[in-house]
Amino acid sequence: MTLKNSITLRKNKKHKLEINTNEKVNNSCVLNDSCKNDSPRSDKLENLPINTTECKNNSPMCVRAQGDGQSFDKSPEVVESIFPNTFMNPPKRFRINVELDIIAIGLTLLALCTRFYRLEEPPNIVFDELHFGKYVGMYLKKIFFFDLHPPLGKLLISGVAHLAGFDGKFKFDKIGSAYSEDVPIFALRSVPALCGSLIIPSAYYFMLELGCSQVTATLAAFLLLCDNALLTQSRFILLEPILIFLMLTGLTFLLKFLKVHNAIKSTDWWLSIAASFVLLTSALCVKYVGVFTFMLGICLICYEYWEMLPDKSMSDKALVIHALTRSAVVLVISLCVYLSVFYVHLFILTKAGPHDSVMTSAFQASLEGGLASITKGQPLEVAHGSQVTLRHTHGKTCWLHSHSEVYPVRYPDKRGSSHQQQVTCYTFKDLNNWWIIRRPDVKNLVVSNPPDAIKHGDVIHFVHGITGRPLNSHDVSAPMSPHNQEVSCYIDYNISMPPLTLWKVDIVNRDQEGDIWHTIQSQVRLIHLNSSQALKFSGRQLPDWGFHQLEIVTDKTIVQDDTVWNVEEHRYTKIEDEKEREKDLMNAEMIPMKTTKLSFWTKFNELQYKMMFPSQDSLQNHMYSSEPLEWPLMTRGIAYWVSPYHNGQVHLLGNIVVWYSGTLSLLTYFSLLIFYLLRRARLCFDITEAQWMHFLRVGHLLFAGYLFHFIPYFFVERTLFLHHYLPAYVFKVLLTAAIVEHIFSLLRYRKHLQKLYITLLAFWICGIIFVFKKFSVLCYGITELSAEDVIKLRWSESWDFIIHKE
């Protein structure tokens, strides 16, 4: 039994004390005749002046006047004087309070069962496992790779793969290829499967924090649980499940923060905002689409702060402190998480690999092997007589190149050329990429001792190493870019076209590297002295007569990325004889001596630039690509894998009932929002203020969240697929549950309509379960299907399932 109240002592009208024995006292007997002498309290009670006729000596027991109804003094001193060491010193107990949410547990178990069921099947490479599996292998072999997505998701998968004993030697060469026996398929797929499972309880708690009822939260989680697209995406080495889980969890903590937004001194305030932006930044570090969720979180915090401004209970100082503290917390935490992820990424990847050419020469030379084995030990200072290869620093990887062929006399558009020797940018290592630098007033090409270093502002000649002709530019339109000037190697045809072969060296990063032109490290612009234009990579491809190499021009706009070059390979000319020098050029490999070292910040900044502004054209044709307007109605799916033996396959396709219901909910919410706004403008209040505020709160987060994650894709110039819609789709599904709740609340006074509505919802849920079960064969890919079975699943003519001929 538990101690409820202390004993109440009363005086009757004859000044006799009475004891109220109606209360239970801490596992002891009540104060009545049945108390035994060995009772914990009995020895104390025997000595009480219960039978006295009056109070004596102002005893603590005399605490009440005759029949005044007041209890006696319960101060610690008084109680202790009556019952020493009993009430004031109860036995201490160690207690742990555990609260279990049976609904959340049940949803989580169902999600784990559906996501992990026969996870190792099919034992073949499925869709983008081809790419992400390769990256995991490169992490484990420490080989540098370049990917447009941030590294966190791949790092998590690689960490689990390492713990499972994967050595990374398996080649992810082709979709459909079978995994070898030494590949831990379960481990590789477990991280997406776990995150895909945790999406379900995360959505449940998110809706609760949003202020929805437990039934609505359960419905939202159920809709995500029964979506076939999310199930499929969660069962393979893909990043969307990790991204969505971090998004939802981060927003859940943000909602917790908004509840205590003005309690800046509380622990909950600091923990909730810190956890929120750790998770939201982590989502951004999985895929850059997470930046939309991050910005949504920033907007919510700013909006909530705006709502605080009219609060008269907060001083100007308090508001300023709130603004500065929030900004500092968000900025510091986000930067720390983002930088930490990339630090680990660059710390692991230390060896050269097939993606090195995307990076600058300096970056490549800092890696073990590859370019580093060529550039180690080469001279640092570029001088008169230096033999160099000039690489285009930013964007497309190519080297300044020339060959004996000349520009055609006339182009197809009837324009004439200089008919000089062609100068191009070549994307492969080649002997014709070598050039010799010399000063105009020095006749020989041999490096002096000590070397005559080239500095910022010096004027030089570039002599092509094999043909011996100088780099030149005339006032002639370039072949593919008529608005620019042609670049060539000068040939003396004894006509009135003198050589214009002087170039001024402009070292772009001289603040870091100094005024002397350094190999690899110095980034330079070469300014044509006669025209004051910069040597530029135009990016246009030459036709057959130019061997489809890339065009080089000069441009009046000097400051741009395409005019930046750097020396990659470098050696000093020691032989004056032209033929001997040509032989020497053919043996241009350096002796490795010392590694080029770059700081983390230098590597980080370059990698960010390459990821934000990729040089390769990512817009490609793909038979399963789709446009954003096709996503809301799920016009097209994606074929992930098909069995070579039968028509069993994995195809990304959502639950069509949930998908269409979500699209209808978007239209419903927007229509209701406009309707309510117009009615309120006319002072007609159809719903209570509490309902209206909840309706707006749902819209601020769910409807805005959908738009944040959907609208930007209309401005993306790259190949898009249905799975790009999934982050926006999650917000749409959660909004669906919220709309179901709102409509139900509108029918609260119409019981017959409410019952009809519940009946319709029951049929709707049954339809969701039916479609989920029917199309689950396309999620797991373990069921043998005939051509007829696949045709029966083709509910839309635009769904491109793969069917083997039978």
Side-chain angles (χ1 to χ4, degrees):
M1 292 188 288
T2 309
L3 177 62
K4 297 293 184 182
N5 289 302
S6 59
I7 298 175
T8 303
L9 301 178
R10 300 178 184 273
K11 269 186 173 184
N12 60 17
K13 292 183 180 181
K14 296 181 180 180
H15 304 284
K16 291 185 179 180
L17 293 174
E18 296 177 348
I19 300 178
N20 185 356
T21 61
N22 293 325
E23 307 293 343
K24 298 178 181 178
V25 186
N26 200 33
N27 290 326
S28 65
C29 67
V30 294
L31 300 181
N32 53 31
D33 293 340
S34 63
C35 289
K36 299 182 181 179
N37 293 333
D38 58 352
S39 172
R41 308 290 193 286
S42 60
D43 57 337
K44 305 294 180 184
L45 298 176
E46 288 176 356
N47 299 322
L48 292 177
I50 297 175
N51 295 324
T52 58
T53 58
E54 59 182 344
C55 295
K56 299 178 181 180
N57 301 326
N58 294 323
S59 170
M61 298 299 293
C62 301
V63 292
R64 303 178 63 190
Q66 294 184 13
D68 61 0
Q70 296 181 353
S71 61
F72 74 97
D73 185 0
K74 299 178 183 178
S75 64
E77 294 81 1
V78 173
V79 178
E80 179 67 16
S81 67
I82 303 173
F83 305 115
N85 300 322
T86 302
F87 287 92
M88 299 306 295
N89 297 288
K92 295 182 178 180
R93 294 180 177 87
F94 178 74
R95 294 182 179 179
I96 299 177
N97 295 323
V98 179
E99 182 178 326
L100 297 178
D101 191 326
I102 301 301
I103 295 177
I105 294 174
L107 290 169
T108 305
L109 291 176
L110 286 173
L112 289 170
C113 291
T114 54
R115 273 62 180 170
F116 279 89
Y117 174 68
R118 298 178 71 171
L119 189 61
E120 295 180 336
E121 297 186 28
N124 305 85
I125 299 173
V126 175
F127 195 55
D128 274 350
E129 286 189 331
L130 176 72
H131 302 296
F132 298 123
K134 281 182 180 178
Y135 298 148
V136 170
M138 289 181 175
Y139 268 125
L140 298 178
K141 293 184 290 186
K142 299 185 177 182
I143 295 175
F144 176 80
F145 65 87
F146 178 80
D147 183 28
L148 292 177
H149 300 303
L152 181 57
K154 299 181 286 289
L155 278 171
L156 293 174
I157 298 172
S158 301
V160 174
H162 174 70
L163 294 175
F166 183 46
D167 57 10
K169 294 181 180 179
F170 177 78
K171 294 182 179 180
F172 292 79
D173 51 0
K174 187 175 67 173
I175 295 176
S177 297
Y179 286 112
S180 60
E181 294 181 356
D182 58 342
V183 177
I185 305 174
F186 185 89
L188 287 169
R189 294 174 176 173
S190 62
V191 174
L194 179 61
C195 291
S197 302
L198 295 178
I199 288 173
I200 310 307
S202 298
Y204 172 79
Y205 284 113
F206 173 78
M207 295 297 284
L208 289 179
E209 290 295 332
L210 190 58
C212 297
S213 67
Q214 193 173 41
V215 174
T216 304
T218 305
L219 176 62
F222 170 79
L223 295 178
L224 293 177
L225 175 68
C226 292
D227 184 73
N228 300 78
L230 286 177
L231 171 60
T232 303
Q233 204 72 6
S234 300
R235 288 180 47 80
F236 305 105
I237 312 173
L238 304 170
L239 301 183
E240 276 76 17
I242 307 173
L243 168 69
I244 295 172
F245 166 67
L246 293 173
M247 284 168 44
L248 282 178
T249 313
L251 289 175
T252 302
F253 277 100
L254 184 59
L255 290 175
K256 288 180 178 292
F257 166 76
L258 296 180
K259 290 182 178 179
V260 293
H261 60 91
N262 56 355
I264 194 171
K265 295 182 179 180
S266 69
T267 305
D268 289 344
W269 191 96
W270 289 92
L271 289 179
S272 55
I273 191 173
S276 174
F277 280 93
V278 166
L279 291 164
L280 292 179
T281 309
S282 297
L284 187 154
C285 291
V286 174
K287 271 193 163 186
Y288 277 129
V289 68
V291 74
F292 303 138
T293 316
F294 186 89
M295 295 308 299
L296 177 64
I298 295 292
C299 290
L300 287 174
I301 285 186
C302 292
Y303 178 81
E304 177 273 330
Y305 180 76
W306 181 262
E307 293 288 307
M308 287 173 57
L309 294 180
D311 189 353
K312 295 295 184 181
S313 65
M314 299 191 71
S315 64
D316 292 345
K317 180 180 178 181
L319 289 171
V320 171
I321 291 174
H322 266 276
L324 294 178
T325 305
R326 294 178 187 200
S327 301
V329 170
V330 171
L331 182 63
V332 170
I333 288 179
S334 302
L335 283 177
C336 287
V337 172
Y338 191 77
L339 291 174
S340 298
V341 170
F342 276 93
Y343 181 84
V344 174
H345 175 71
L346 293 172
F347 179 80
I348 293 174
L349 304 181
T350 57
K351 297 180 180 180
H355 295 182
D356 294 1
S357 61
V358 176
M359 311 306 291
T360 62
S361 302
F363 196 105
Q364 293 181 61
S366 68
L367 301 172
E368 300 173 19
L371 181 63
S373 66
I374 299 174
T375 58
K376 290 175 186 176
Q378 63 185 9
L380 177 64
E381 295 182 356
V382 177
H384 168 80
S386 287
Q387 300 173 9
V388 301
T389 60
L390 275 178
R391 176 189 154 147
H392 179 231
T393 301
H394 302 301
K396 186 75 173 180
T397 302
C398 62
W399 292 265
L400 190 67
H401 176 94
S402 185
H403 38 244
S404 57
E405 283 74 13
V406 297
Y407 290 110
V409 177
R410 289 194 178 278
Y411 300 118
D413 59 1
K414 306 303 181 183
R415 287 185 299 113
S417 76
S418 66
H419 200 49
Q420 297 284 316
Q421 182 173 301
Q422 296 176 15
V423 172
T424 64
C425 207
Y426 194 41
T427 55
F428 299 95
K429 300 281 188 176
D430 189 87
L431 186 61
N432 281 315
N433 295 347
W434 285 90
W435 299 79
I436 302 173
I437 295 173
R438 77 174 183 89
R439 293 192 180 276
D441 55 349
V442 180
K443 293 183 179 181
N444 66 65
L445 297 177
V446 178
V447 177
S448 60
N449 189 15
D452 182 10
I454 305 298
K455 299 179 181 179
H456 171 73
D458 286 355
V459 176
I460 60 173
H461 285 301
F462 278 93
V463 179
H464 188 239
I466 297 300
T467 64
R469 292 184 175 127
L471 187 67
N472 175 80
S473 182
H474 279 111
D475 186 14
V476 176
S477 295
M480 308 305 296
S481 306
H483 56 285
N484 293 127
Q485 190 167 290
E486 177 194 271
V487 175
S488 62
C489 279
Y490 183 75
I491 302 175
D492 188 2
Y493 289 122
N494 293 320
I495 57 175
S496 58
M497 186 176 282
L500 303 176
T501 57
L502 295 177
W503 300 84
K504 186 175 73 173
V505 177
D506 178 16
I507 300 178
V508 178
N509 60 340
R510 58 185 178 278
D511 292 339
Q512 295 81 32
E513 297 300 325
D515 286 340
I516 297 178
W517 190 357
H518 289 157
T519 305
I520 294 179
Q521 309 284 17
S522 295
Q523 298 177 3
V524 302
R525 289 190 175 97
L526 301 174
I527 312 299
H528 188 238
L529 200 63
N530 299 89
S531 63
S532 298
Q533 298 187 28
L535 187 73
K536 175 188 174 182
F537 162 76
S538 74
R540 296 176 179 270
Q541 193 173 44
L542 298 172
D544 292 342
W545 55 259
F547 308 99
H548 302 286
Q549 296 176 16
L550 301 171
E551 183 189 43
I552 292 293
V553 299
T554 61
D555 196 323
K556 294 178 181 178
T557 305
I558 294 175
V559 180
Q560 52 180 306
D561 287 343
D562 286 330
T563 60
V564 179
W565 303 81
N566 66 271
V567 170
E568 185 171 272
E569 297 177 65
H570 180 208
R571 60 186 302 172
Y572 286 157
T573 302
K574 299 178 181 179
I575 303 171
E576 178 64 25
D577 183 79
E578 186 174 340
K579 291 185 177 179
E580 292 297 323
R581 187 173 67 241
E582 184 175 328
K583 291 180 181 179
D584 192 43
L585 278 171
M586 293 182 180
N587 184 23
E589 188 172 348
M590 300 291 108
I591 301 173
M593 290 176 58
K594 187 179 180 181
T595 307
T596 301
K597 292 184 179 180
L598 293 181
S599 67
F600 163 72
W601 292 108
T602 303
K603 286 186 172 183
F604 172 77
N605 290 333
E606 180 178 335
L607 187 57
Q608 290 301 295
Y609 179 88
K610 297 289 185 180
M611 294 173 72
M612 298 297 177
F613 306 100
S615 60
Q616 282 80 9
D617 186 7
S618 57
L619 186 61
Q620 303 172 359
N621 292 324
H622 192 285
M623 64 181 300
Y624 288 102
S625 63
S626 54
E627 298 297 326
L629 285 176
E630 298 179 280
W631 297 341
L633 297 179
M634 201 171 61
T635 305
R636 304 194 69 196
I638 310 174
Y640 274 13
W641 172 83
V642 62
S643 171
Y645 310 110
H646 50 79
N647 285 297
Q649 56 190 281
V650 176
H651 198 97
L652 183 70
L653 206 65
N655 189 317
I656 193 170
V657 178
V658 180
W659 214 274
Y660 279 54
S661 300
T663 303
L664 181 61
S665 296
L666 289 171
L667 299 175
T668 303
Y669 182 86
F670 183 72
S671 301
L672 285 173
L673 179 62
I674 299 299
F675 173 78
Y676 289 148
L677 288 174
L678 292 175
R679 292 278 290 172
R680 293 175 74 87
R682 296 287 297 166
L683 301 180
C684 298
F685 303 98
D686 302 283
I687 56 178
T688 65
E689 191 64 21
Q691 286 179 306
W692 170 243
M693 294 307 297
H694 179 66
F695 186 81
L696 287 181
R697 181 179 174 86
V698 167
H700 287 162
L701 197 47
L702 300 182
F703 190 69
Y706 175 81
L707 297 178
F708 264 69
H709 291 80
F710 181 56
I711 299 298
Y713 282 108
F714 287 92
F715 307 97
V716 172
E717 294 183 358
R718 58 168 297 184
T719 307
L720 297 174
F721 298 93
L722 183 64
H723 61 77
H724 290 117
Y725 184 60
L726 291 180
Y729 170 72
V730 168
F731 285 97
K732 181 171 78 169
V733 172
L734 299 182
L735 182 63
T736 303
I739 287 296
V740 169
E741 179 187 57
H742 183 73
I743 295 175
F744 184 82
S745 67
L746 296 179
L747 302 176
R748 64 188 183 280
Y749 297 124
R750 298 172 176 84
K751 297 301 180 182
H752 59 288
L753 289 179
Q754 207 173 58
K755 291 180 180 179
L756 177 61
Y757 184 65
I758 293 173
T759 304
L760 293 175
L761 288 179
F763 280 106
W764 177 60
I765 291 174
C766 290
I768 291 172
I769 296 173
F770 170 77
V771 173
F772 175 71
K773 183 179 179 181
K774 186 173 185 63
F775 283 87
S776 63
V777 294
L778 300 180
C779 303
Y780 295 100
I782 58 179
T783 304
E784 294 187 11
L785 298 176
S786 64
E788 185 180 355
D789 294 332
V790 176
I791 292 173
K792 288 181 179 178
L793 292 173
R794 193 179 180 185
W795 290 6
S796 172
E797 291 295 327
S798 59
W799 293 355
D800 298 327
F801 297 149
I802 298 176
I803 302 176
H804 291 308
K805 293 182 179 180
E806 295 183 352

